[in-house]
Amino acid sequence: MIKKYLFTLVSLFCFTIAFAQPVNDECDTAINIPTVENWCSPTQAYTNVAATASGFGPPSCFDSPANDVWFTFTAVATDVVITVNGDQGIGGGGTLNNPSVALYDGACSGTIGEFQCETDFINNNILELYKGGLTVGQTYIIRINGRAGNTGTFQLCINNFYPPVEPGSDCPTAAILCDKSPFSIQSVIGAGNDPDEAAGTC
């Protein structure tokens, strides 16, 4: 009788833990990310499984806020790239399909304003959001969801950086890097005016 009682109690406890809401289910309980220079969480570090809809309405790219989770960071530079890595198969970041991510400024206890929003429409299960013009020292809010009600685990990466001078396609117009600080470049197009720089024309 005692064994049966203990088995029922342990099963109930495990069931409760398995379906508990994430600690960052609401904006005011967002997980703070203290290091944002070229930082990545471990794979499967976060989840939106059992998350509930927040009091804030959905951002422009979310189809529903039903399973959103929240993070915050304080900007140390002007530009940020936020990557949500979900189900990439072997070596992927987790089990989340079709992630969506929104970036806000403001305060969870008052008004928040959408800065940028991205969603995975093409089933890559990995998503990158870029935003420039951040104010150093200001706290920003990240909201992550799964499109079409998807839930699962994911890896979160943030790189908050000062962008270098726009890179050029030719050696004489190259951007000069003054230190080893990490940064991201949106794109460089074409071979430039001198496509034979490897021959030593620089």
Side-chain angles (χ1 to χ4, degrees):
M1 180 69 179
I2 292 176
K3 287 183 180 179
K4 185 175 180 182
Y5 175 76
L6 285 175
F7 176 78
T8 303
L9 188 61
V10 169
S11 297
L12 182 60
F13 176 77
C14 291
F15 179 83
T16 302
I17 293 298
F19 290 95
Q21 295 171 346
V23 66
N24 55 338
D25 187 38
E26 297 295 338
C27 185
D28 58 3
T29 59
I31 294 173
N32 182 57
I33 307 296
T35 303
V36 290
E37 293 177 283
N38 211 27
W39 173 87
C40 277
S41 74
T43 57
Q44 302 190 52
Y46 302 111
T47 183
N48 71 332
V49 174
T52 60
S54 301
F56 295 99
S60 59
C61 72
F62 283 24
D63 58 356
S64 166
N67 302 109
D68 55 356
V69 289
W70 300 79
F71 301 85
T72 61
F73 72 95
T74 301
V76 297
T78 58
D79 290 38
V80 68
V81 173
I82 299 166
T83 305
V84 180
N85 184 10
D87 186 2
Q88 296 291 300
I90 296 173
T95 60
L96 180 62
N97 291 319
N98 306 114
S100 300
V101 60
L103 178 66
Y104 296 89
D105 65 351
C108 292
S109 58
T111 303
I112 59 174
E114 182 182 323
F115 247 27
Q116 187 78 16
C117 196
E118 301 288 344
T119 192
D120 173 27
F121 283 115
I122 55 176
N123 304 317
N124 282 336
N125 303 329
I126 186 169
L127 185 65
E128 188 174 272
L129 178 149
Y130 165 79
K131 181 63 181 171
L134 274 59
T135 301
V136 175
Q138 183 170 326
T139 298
Y140 291 90
I141 304 164
I142 301 168
R143 187 180 191 181
I144 296 173
N145 195 15
R147 189 169 59 80
N150 285 321
T151 62
T153 59
F154 58 90
Q155 178 186 40
L156 178 62
C157 297
I158 304 176
N159 188 17
N160 187 204
F161 61 96
Y162 286 106
V165 177
E166 283 297 314
S169 295
D170 292 306
C171 186
T173 60
I176 298 172
L177 304 179
C178 298
D179 58 32
K180 296 179 181 178
S181 299
F183 61 91
S184 299
I185 295 173
Q186 293 301 297
S187 66
V188 177
I189 299 171
N193 296 325
D194 183 3
D196 195 29
E197 289 162 312
T201 59
C202 184

